[in-house]
Amino acid sequence: MQVEQEKKEKLWTIREILNWTSKHFHEKKIETPLLDAQLLLCKVLNLSKVQLYIEMDKPLNETEKRDYRALVKRRLNGEPVAYILNEKYWHNLKLYVDKRVLIPRPETESMLDFVLQNKKNCDLKYILDLCTGSGCLAIALAKAFPTTIVIGVDISTEALAVAKINAELNSVHNVEWLLADLTQLEIFQELKTKYKAFDIVVANPPYVTEKEWHSLEHTVKEFEPKLALVAADEGLFIGEQIVKNIEDFSLLSSNSIFAMEMADKQPQKIKSECKKIIQHNHPIWEIPKNEWFTLCDWERKERFLVKNVV
């Protein structure tokens, strides 16, 4: 009885909670155990990571412990931290995310960096973001080019609702959101009629095959939207439609750049004549002009299909 009373009255400090949780996460094969524990505890205590470490010996009250346990349980069930927190920091943006949209990835940042590097200090009129999802690319580009009109397109009304939240969260007002199916010609005809051509076109379409989807990690398959991940024809269908119609409707301006994210080696299946470019080993002036090429991500995987029109 006395032992049970002592257990009940035990005070758990921030330090003890973090040590216990990170160890438990590690045992459960969670990839970033300490970071995840820190982020969840910061959320519950409404503290920054710096404040968390300043107050390491602060005990948690019963309400804080209960709330923290609930978040830890969700993480152990495989739910990504970004969804638990409804928050993702990506390319200097603070984004709201939930199960309606994919969590923005670092690989997409490298594609964005390439586009920004090539178009910095340029006077642009229109930018197009296809399969916008959370709106991360559209919003980042809108902030980089505040006098340019950015069009963000997605097939999901739920995704566009999240994108609009993120535009407001980041004080961006030069993005127009468009609900459309990119496998239909009508959307490209509409874009041509209204905007003529775009100075930047970026796309991050679904490119996972149905077979690949079944073998994805639990944390992705069970929580992130399948609509934003899976495409027919070996994952190429939507990407192929985008490239074909961008070309058929002449949607690239005379001084523009197109960049689309795919899986490794997929760009060559759409444009077999592609040259391979490792962007971090090549200055901008060496990038091919007026022809398609593949751009490698940080791991040198050929992930991005690009055309630099001059």
Side-chain angles (χ1 to χ4, degrees):
M1 185 70 177
Q2 185 177 355
V3 173
E4 290 179 1
Q5 186 68 19
E6 286 175 358
K7 284 184 179 178
K8 185 177 180 181
E9 293 175 358
K10 174 177 171 59
L11 294 177
W12 284 84
T13 65
I14 288 175
R15 187 190 313 278
E16 290 170 323
I17 286 279
L18 283 179
N19 288 341
W20 185 90
T21 309
S22 59
K23 183 180 179 216
H24 194 50
F25 281 172
H26 178 74
E27 290 169 351
K28 296 297 182 180
K29 310 298 184 187
I30 289 176
E31 193 171 319
T32 52
L34 179 57
L35 177 61
D36 289 8
Q38 291 168 341
L39 292 172
L40 297 180
L41 196 52
C42 285
K43 176 73 170 180
V44 167
L45 301 180
N46 194 27
L47 296 175
S48 68
K49 282 178 68 176
V50 172
Q51 291 171 322
L52 200 68
Y53 277 88
I54 291 173
E55 301 190 31
M56 274 296 209
D57 295 319
K58 175 185 178 295
L60 276 67
N61 62 39
E62 289 302 317
T63 300
E64 292 167 341
K65 285 191 286 186
R66 181 198 64 211
D67 292 346
Y68 184 65
R69 279 195 296 268
L71 298 191
V72 168
K73 184 176 180 180
R74 290 171 64 181
R75 184 68 188 104
L76 290 170
N77 192 42
E79 186 172 357
V81 170
Y83 287 158
I84 297 173
L85 304 181
N86 294 129
E87 184 177 280
K88 178 68 177 180
Y89 286 89
W90 183 89
H91 207 277
N92 301 321
L93 299 176
K94 179 181 178 181
L95 298 170
Y96 173 89
V97 291
D98 61 28
K99 295 178 185 180
R100 293 175 288 179
V101 295
L102 293 181
I103 299 167
R105 272 34 176 202
E107 294 84 0
T108 312
E109 287 186 276
S110 65
M111 182 177 78
L112 175 61
D113 285 335
F114 171 80
V115 171
L116 291 174
Q117 188 178 14
N118 275 269
K119 286 299 177 185
K120 62 183 177 183
N121 303 322
C122 290
D123 184 20
L124 310 181
K125 192 172 183 182
Y126 297 123
I127 294 173
L128 179 61
D129 175 24
L130 300 173
C131 304
T132 192
S134 65
C136 58
L137 282 169
I139 292 165
L141 288 164
K143 286 181 78 72
F145 303 99
T147 62
T148 301
I149 296 174
V150 181
I151 313 301
V153 183
D154 206 280
I155 194 173
S156 167
T157 54
E158 293 186 333
L160 289 179
V162 173
K164 290 173 185 176
I165 292 171
N166 283 323
E168 188 69 26
L169 186 63
N170 287 279
S171 302
V172 163
H173 305 290
N174 55 320
V175 183
E176 299 175 8
W177 306 105
L178 186 58
L179 178 68
D181 181 350
L182 292 172
T183 65
Q184 304 299 312
L185 292 180
E186 288 79 7
I187 174 58
F188 295 96
Q189 181 62 66
E190 180 182 343
L191 291 169
K192 182 66 178 179
T193 301
K194 189 171 182 180
Y195 304 102
K196 306 302 181 188
F198 295 87
D199 303 302
I200 295 174
V201 177
V202 292
N204 189 4
Y207 51 73
V208 175
T209 68
E210 185 73 29
K211 182 179 179 181
E212 288 170 338
W213 182 80
H214 285 287
S215 63
L216 288 175
E217 293 180 4
H218 171 78
T219 187
V220 175
K221 186 172 66 174
E222 298 300 323
F223 293 95
E224 300 199 64
K226 185 178 181 180
L227 180 65
L229 288 165
V230 176
D233 295 341
E234 294 302 306
L236 299 173
F237 181 65
I238 298 174
E240 287 177 331
Q241 294 300 307
I242 288 172
V243 171
K244 181 179 186 302
N245 288 304
I246 288 291
E247 290 187 310
D248 288 352
F249 287 92
S250 301
L251 288 173
L252 293 175
S253 71
S254 58
N255 186 21
S256 63
I257 193 161
F258 172 93
M260 181 168 71
E261 179 177 340
M262 307 198 76
D264 187 27
K265 299 292 190 292
Q266 279 186 338
Q268 298 94 322
K269 295 178 181 178
I270 293 179
K271 291 289 181 181
S272 59
E273 72 277 14
C274 282
K275 293 182 178 180
K276 177 181 176 180
I277 299 293
I278 301 173
Q279 65 167 308
H280 306 294
N281 289 353
H282 287 252
I284 294 302
W285 58 266
E286 288 188 29
I287 290 171
K289 296 176 174 60
N290 298 317
E291 58 184 293
W292 294 95
F293 60 94
T294 62
L295 191 68
C296 294
D297 64 14
W298 294 101
E299 297 179 352
R300 298 199 173 189
K301 294 179 180 178
E302 296 181 66
R303 295 282 306 279
F304 310 114
L305 180 62
V306 183
K307 189 171 186 180
N308 186 31
V309 181
V310 294

